[in-house]
Every structure is written in structure tokens, then in C-alpha cells.
């Protein structure tokens, strides 16, 4: 019996890692005042074609239900978030700050970092147009990664502005906007000369354009001002975020039809992996879903690339097993059950022997589970009112009162 | 834009309740030494037809993927657990004690307590044939419910033994086993006289049978012994479980093809709802899935009936919002971001104003979120090095050093 391709089986040791990541995501989101919600796994297909067009059906697991409805497994959370906002958020004070950890589904060819079924953290602020909302989402992104043990030696947040790009296109007379965006998106994979050659075909001012890609964040912001561009949002943003972790990067593009101004992605500093997380401002979505025009900004982070990074940077913690074990000698099962209840009421997690295995087999079972403390309950000991406690690491034993 | 029928939208207030239930399930399972695992949402259809026959496809969400594979959304966890055991557990010391909280999918007519998509807690012990394993699963069941605030005034665990039923059928010459089981299953919904009439058609010894249904647990066990039945497992079981919560009930039947001996279900004491949880011993499953003959016992509990009970018995806790809020007056956003980091490092969850709303609007936002403590950061105060802290419940304010 096999699993379906592109899915993962999580044994307890694997799932412990996932719970560690989920719990860290939850903890940090709540520290930043976000509230968790959840939407169904099964959705109507039209919810997804509404945002992304019929094209998206290629990537959807979709089928007709027995009542003839076109339904699908959610491929991302955002359309459901928009539906929630339009249906429920009218009476709520703005902004809405919500996060969720959905399992999402993509009909893709399984490969490294790409699965048919994975988890994708989402956090969004809806209903606040001040750039401080975007700063909050980026600071949240930084702290989600920091709380998993990653530092600025491991990742960088790369930020861009659609409006600045469009202003540059106008100011420097770029002839073909679509080709320019495509070129930016490919820049990371191109030789410098090739990039320069392409740039030359797009604008007479290609030397200024080319220079922009050599500047750091402060130099860039200064240059934009010299060129007469409106940098208020960008400077406001960089004033509120931790610049040790975030830089301006003109080559960050992301979904053209979807994002409206500031966009960002986090990459590993070695540039070996796909982006770890990404997001930006999407001020048209709520309106597209039948709501009023509403500012929105959010981030999404899958678990697959993140896991690769945590493993390669050796940032996953060692999970110690704090469960204790009760071993039994003779007919003391009822006493063992009692002892277990006592230990649980003191805050212990307790595994216990359930049968008449000999002691050495019981100890080897406990050892195989990584258990460090074993209570040995024997008939003779019980009559004397004592219990033996064995430290499995040190191999020492002592008697305590039962 | 609508949700798919039979699914639920969880707003933050709803999801808080779900997380409370999930976390309680997790806490208690770990107290009893169970480890959490997880299997994929998408499975091969044959995994489910293997356990339940082609018939099950009526209740499955199943479809052909674009590669022509018959796939489905998992309708329950157990077949996946069997697959895990056969594929991975060979090298592990027995017994395996695992739990999981899968989202499962049923193509059913949505009605009260029945949804197309819901959560179902599962816990299983595989590889231990001593009845103490079954006692552990039943004690776990009791404590899962107790830790959600329910007591024996709210629920009862009803236990039966397939082997005892079969022995009774032989001993008392019941003519039609299938009809007898069907009758037991319907007993709760029948008039006493009607039940008696049906019983009469099944056995000449119907008076003894009828009497059995009037006896309590101890009387029943005694009667079984008088009839010469083997009660070792049942008496062993009742010796190890909390009898305040559990009784013998001959009318509990459950899946005929699946369970091999002891079965149990938890019902609300008012008998108004479907069963809250259920389980039992299923010693054939692992073999049916290609493994060796292996004893197994487990329990399953959906979230829907449980939620109804917790609501009707008023056992859901009031969730207090411990998040604090930072309100701002004037251009102090950067200082507010700093204060937030300080408060987070002290263990607070912090929401904050992101824009230039006036103070009363900010306070009304905080109030709408149920926030009790607001830090007010003003330009003038900041110069003096002070911050105002407002208690939203009492309406009092005090100044602290910033």
C-alpha cells in the first residue's frame, strides 16, 4: 500500500518537527497581535478562478461532486481570506489582523521543495493603508524566522516597490513594461553582460538603470529622490523595520496582476533555495471579490523550503523525551495505573508497561523511546512501600517512598 | 461567494475553541505516553476499499487525478494507520502508541452533528494483546473528556464484548446472529415490549436474555460466569478502569466486520446526542493490510458531537484576551515599535495602533478586541520619559517610566 505521490508521511519524529514549527508560528503571530482563523479544505472552484483566472485550474485538484458542483482542494488561503472578509468583517473594527496555517494542495510535478500537499502559513492585515501595516508584516516575517533560530547570516528580506518600478519605467523611458518585469525576474539567473545587453534594448537610459542595481538601500532611496520619484512609503517603511534583515532589491517582482505596490521575499543568504517566504500589498483583491476598495498586505510561507533551510543550517532543536516510564514486576498493574495518575497530576507524561514482559525487555522498550526516567514497581517493593527509580542515562537507581 | 455545503468557516472566536480542544487532546494523549503522527489528506482509493469494500466509495470524496489514479480525501485515519504500521513499524519496539488529529471528509447529507469535513481525534495501541491496552484506551477516553470539563454527570462509557455476545448466542441458542446484532443496535430506539417480542422470535431462552438487559455491570459479570462464559478479559478490564465512568452495555455493537472483541462508546447521560466517541479491539486489520497478525485497539472522536455537548453543558471556558494594545498620540510610531519589542521580550502579546487615528478611536478598537490593558504613547509623555497605562475594565490610568 503506497501513499499518493507528492505527499508526505509524518512519523512521530517528523511530526514533532512540524508541531515545533507550527507552535513557533503561532507564538510569534500572537505576540504581534494576530488572531488565528481557519477555512475549509474543500472550496468552490470559482473562488480560485475569480482571483487567478481559468488558467489556475491546471494547478488545482478539482472535480465535480456528486451533486454536479465544481469543487477543489484549496491551493492557497488568500481567496478564502477575501471571502471571509467580504462575508464577516463588515461589523468588525479595522484593521483585521489574522493568520492561519492551512494545508494546501497543488497539482504540480513533485520535486525538491515542491509538493502536492503542504502547509502554508499566512498572515494578513486588511483595512489599514498606512505603510506601518506593511512594516508590521515584514517585522513579523523577520521574527517568525528569528524565533526558529535563523539570523541575518541565514536569510535576507528583499523588498521592492511596484510604484517605484512603474515611476522608473516612465522616468527612464522603458519601452516595454512587461519585458522589463520579466527581465527583472530572470536577473538572478543571468550573466551580468547578458542582463546589460537586454537592458540596453529597453531604454536609452540603460546606464542609469544598470547603476541602480549596484546600489545599497540608502543609496537607492537617495537616487530615487534625485530622479524625482515619490519615496515616502519606502522611506517610511525602512524607518520602521530592522535594516539588519531587510534590503531594497529592484529585481523582486512577484505576481504581476495581484500585488499593487510594496512586495518582498526572504531568501537564504547562500542563494541556494527557492524563496522562504514572500508577500506584499494587494489593494484590489477585496474589491475584486465584491467588497469595498480595501487596502491589504500579507505574507505566505510554505513549510518545505523552510524545513530545507532549518536542516541545512542545523537550526532544528533536539527534542528531548520528557516522558517517564513505569515498569512492573509481578501482578502490580492496578498499582501502576494508580501511580500513573499520581505522576500525571504532578505534571508528568507517563508511558507504562501493559503486560507481563520481563524487566529487561521493558527497560529496552523505554530506551528505544528515548525515555530517561523509569519507575520500577515490584510486588516485594510495594509491600515495603517503596519504588525504585532508574536514571536511564546514568544507569543509577534509587529507592523512593511509594 | 459561498463556502461548500457541509463545511465550516472558523472565525478567530470559533477557531480559539477548536485550538482549545486540540490542545487538550494533545496534552492528555501525551500524559498517557502517546505520540502524535500525521498522514496525508489525499490517499489512494484502494486503501479505503481494502478495509471497507467498494461500498465505501459512496461515502468518499474520490476522483481520478490527471494521471488517471483513483484518489480520495481520507474519510478516516485507520487505514492510513495500518499502512504506516505495515510500512514503518517493523523495526520499532511494540506496542506502538500513536495519536493523530486528522481532518476527514465524508460525502454525506449535511445535518446536525454530520458534516462533509470535520476533525477526528484517533488514538491506537498496536502490538499488545493484554487487556490492559484496552483499559488504557478507555482510561484515555475518560480523561480526554474529563480534561474538557465533563464529568460522569455528563457522559458514560458503555462497553460490550463481541466474544461474550457470540458465546451468549451459542449458549442460549439464538437462531439468527445477524438479526440479533441488528436488534441490539436498534434497542435504544425501541419500546420495551417491541424489543421483547423480537427477542422471543430469536431464542427459546429469551427470558434469560431479557433479564440480562436489566442487570448492572457486576450482576452481568456474575451472570456470565453462572452461564459458564469466559469473563477473564472483561473482569480484567473493569479492574483497571474507572467504574464511575464506565458500564457494561450489551446493546453496544459497532462495525460488525471490523471489531474483534471488546467495543465501547461514550454517550451523553441525557441520551440526546449521537455517540461522543467510540472504539474497540480490531485484531484483523493489520493482517488484512499485509502485515502479520497483530492485536490492536483504538478510539475515534469527532469534533462535532463533542462541541454540541460542551456547548449544551456550558463547559466551554471563557477565553480571556491577554493581548495588550499600544495606542499612539502624534509621531511616535517608531517608539511604539520599540516598546512593542520590549513588551514581547517580557512575554506579552502586543497589538498596536498602525496609523493616525485619534485616541478615542484607538481605544474603541482595543475594546472591540476585548483587550484589557492599553499603553498610551504620547509625544509629550515621551519627552518626560513616561507612558500612560490604561486599565480598560476599571477605566483607571497610571503613569509609568518609559
Amino acid at each position: 500500500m503506497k501513499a499518493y505521490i507528492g505527499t508526505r508521511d509524518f512519523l512521530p519524529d517528523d511530526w514533532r518537527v512540524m508541531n515545533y514549527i507550527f507552535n513557533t508560528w503561532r507564538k510569534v503571530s500572537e505576540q504581534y497581535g494576530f488572531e488565528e482563523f481557519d477555512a475549509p479544505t474543500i472550496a468552490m472552484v470559482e473562488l480560485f478562478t475569480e482571483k487567478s483566472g481559468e488558467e489556475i485550474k491546471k494547478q488545482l485538484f478539482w472535480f465535480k461532486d456528486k451533486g454536479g458542483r465544481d469543487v477543489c482542494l484549496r491551493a492557497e488561503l488568500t481567496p478564502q481570506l477575501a471571502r471571509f472578509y467580504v462575508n464577516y468583517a463588515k461589523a468588525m473594527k479595522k484593521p483585521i489582523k489574522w493568520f492561519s496555517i492551512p494545508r494546501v494542495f497543488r497539482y504540480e510535478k513533485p520535486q525538491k521543495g515542491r509538493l502536492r500537499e503542504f502547509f502554508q502559513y499566512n498572515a494578513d492585515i486588511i483595512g489599514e493603508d498606512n505603510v506601518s501595516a506593511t512594516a508590521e508584516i515584514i517585522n513579523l516575517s523577520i521574527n517568525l524566522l528569528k524565533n526558529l533560530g535563523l539570523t541575518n547570516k541565514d536569510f535576507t528580506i528583499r523588498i521592492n516597490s511596484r510604484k517605484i518600478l512603474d515611476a522608473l519605467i516612465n522616468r527612464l523611458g522603458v519601452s516595454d513594461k512587461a519585458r522589463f518585469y520579466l527581465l527583472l525576474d530572470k536577473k538572478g539567473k543571468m550573466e551580468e553582460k547578458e542582463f546589460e545587453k537586454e537592458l540596453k534594448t529597453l531604454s536609452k537610459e540603460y546606464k542609469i538603470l544598470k547603476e541602480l542595481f549596484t546600489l545599497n538601500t540608502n543609496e537607492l532611496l537617495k537616487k530615487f529622490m534625485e530622479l524625482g520619484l515619490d519615496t515616502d512609503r519606502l522611506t517610511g517603511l525602512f524607518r520602521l523595520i530592522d535594516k539588519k534583515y531587510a534590503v531594497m532589491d529592484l529585481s523582486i517582482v512577484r505576481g504581476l496582476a495581484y500585488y499593487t505596490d510594496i512586495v518582498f521575499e526572504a531568501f537564504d543568504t547562500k542563494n541556494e533555495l527557492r524563496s522562504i517566504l514572500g508577500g506584499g500589498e494587494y489593494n484590489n483583491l477585496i474589491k475584486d471579490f465584491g467588497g469595498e476598495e480595501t487596502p491589504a498586505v500579507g505574507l505566505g510561507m510554505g513549510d518545505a523550503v523552510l524545513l530545507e533551510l532549518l536542516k541545512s543550517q542545523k537550526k532544528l532543536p533536539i527534542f528531548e523525551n520528557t516522558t517517564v516510564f513505569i515498569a512492573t514486576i509481578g501482578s502490580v498493574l492496578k498499582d501502576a495505573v494508580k501511580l500513573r495518575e499520581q505522576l500525571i497530576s504532578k505534571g508528568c507524561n507517563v508511558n507504562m508497561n501493559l503486560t507481563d514482559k520481563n524487566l529487561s525487555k521493558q527497560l529496552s522498550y523505554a530506551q528505544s523511546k528515548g525515555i530517561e526516567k523509569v519507575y520500577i514497581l515490584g510486588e516485594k517493593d510495594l509491600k515495603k512501600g517503596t519504588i525504585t527509580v532508574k536514571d536511564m542515562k546514568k544507569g543509577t537507581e534509587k529507592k523512593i517512598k511509594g
Side-chain angles (χ1 to χ4, degrees), chain A residues 303-334:
Chain A
D303 67 310
V305 175
L306 177 67
L307 260 174
E308 281 182 57
L309 182 62
L310 291 173
K311 280 177 189 165
S312 76
Q313 299 298 90
K314 299 194 169 47
K315 297 291 185 181
L316 285 174
I318 293 156
F319 299 96
E320 284 185 18
N321 191 343
T322 57
T323 302
V324 303
F325 188 80
I326 302 175
T328 58
I329 308 172
S331 300
V332 296
L333 216 46
K334 200 170 162 59

Side-chain angles (χ1 to χ4, degrees), chain A residues 14 22 26 45 75 97 104 134 151 154 157 176 184 186 195 235 252 312 386:
Chain A
D14 310 313
F22 298 157
R26 283 202 174 97
V45 167
K97 291 171 58 177
V104 296
T134 309
T151 72
D154 305 306
I157 308 257
D176 186 334
L184 293 180
K186 287 189 303 181
F195 178 71
T235 45
I252 298 298
S312 76
T386 61

Side-chain angles (χ1 to χ4, degrees), chain A residues 6 28 47 51 71 80 101 105 134 153 156 197 199 235 239 251 258 280 287 292 307-308 331 349 364 374 377 393:
Chain A
V28 178
L47 189 73
K51 178 189 163 200
V71 296
Q80 296 185 312
I101 309 178
F105 304 84
T134 309
K153 285 182 189 136
T156 310
K197 203 177 121 193
L199 214 53
T235 45
R239 217 171 63 88
S251 74
Y258 178 58
K287 201 180 164 193
E292 287 169 28
L307 260 174
E308 281 182 57
S331 300
N349 293 337
S364 122
V374 176
L377 221 61
K393 254 188 173 166

Side-chain angles (χ1 to χ4, degrees), chain A residues 33 56 69 85 105 121 131 149 164 169 175 198 201 207 239 243 249 255 276 309 320 368 380 396:
Chain A
I56 190 71
R69 296 176 194 87
Y85 189 87
F105 304 84
Y121 170 90
V131 77
I164 284 285
I169 286 169
S175 56
E198 292 266 346
T201 68
K207 277 186 183 162
R239 217 171 63 88
K243 280 190 281 290
D249 183 338
I276 308 160
L309 182 62
E320 284 185 18
S368 80
K380 283 179 200 161
T396 55

Side-chain angles (χ1 to χ4, degrees), chain A residues 355-371:
Chain A
T355 183
D356 46 7
K357 276 184 206 138
N358 67 39
L359 183 62
S360 82
K361 275 198 179 165
Q362 296 180 41
L363 292 179
S364 122
Y365 175 85
Q367 191 121 46
S368 80
K369 301 282 174 198
I371 286 169

Side-chain angles (χ1 to χ4, degrees), chain A residues 33-181:
Chain A
F34 287 75
E35 295 179 289
E36 189 171 359
F37 77 105
D38 194 49
T41 297
I42 306 178
M44 306 304 285
V45 167
E46 56 173 0
L47 189 73
F48 287 85
T49 51
E50 178 70 32
K51 178 189 163 200
S52 313
E54 286 291 317
E55 193 65 8
I56 190 71
K57 283 167 94 170
K58 277 189 201 161
Q59 280 177 50
L60 285 181
F61 280 95
W62 75 276
F63 54 98
K64 279 195 190 298
D65 84 348
K66 289 152 193 168
R69 296 176 194 87
D70 284 343
V71 296
C72 67
L73 306 186
R74 55 175 164 182
E76 55 165 338
L77 184 76
T78 314
Q80 296 185 312
L81 174 66
R83 179 171 71 72
F84 269 53
Y85 189 87
V86 172
N87 288 350
Y88 305 117
K90 224 167 202 162
M92 298 177 191
K93 300 260 181 198
K94 309 298 175 307
I96 297 292
K97 291 171 58 177
W98 284 354
F99 78 100
S100 193
I101 309 178
R103 201 168 210 161
V104 296
F105 304 84
R106 305 262 170 94
Y107 197 82
E108 287 186 299
K109 202 179 162 187
Q111 50 187 295
K112 202 184 171 199
R114 292 236 169 150
L115 293 159
R116 293 200 167 175
E117 184 173 329
F118 59 98
F119 296 93
Q120 191 186 49
Y121 170 90
N122 283 260
D124 297 85
I125 301 178
I126 309 187
E128 175 55 63
D129 59 2
N130 194 304
V131 77
S132 61
T134 309
E136 173 137 309
I137 286 289
I138 291 175
N139 281 330
L140 172 65
S141 304
I142 293 169
N143 280 288
L144 287 165
L145 298 177
K146 275 170 78 174
N147 274 271
L148 290 164
L150 298 167
T151 72
N152 58 357
K153 285 182 189 136
D154 305 306
F155 74 92
T156 310
I157 308 257
R158 305 188 167 278
I159 298 171
N160 201 1
S161 157
R162 276 297 168 67
K163 287 194 174 149
I164 284 285
L165 277 185
D166 288 345
L168 275 175
I169 286 169
N170 283 334
R171 179 70 182 70
L172 302 178
V174 174
S175 56
D176 186 334
K177 179 174 161 173
R179 251 185 66 211
F180 182 60
Y181 272 63

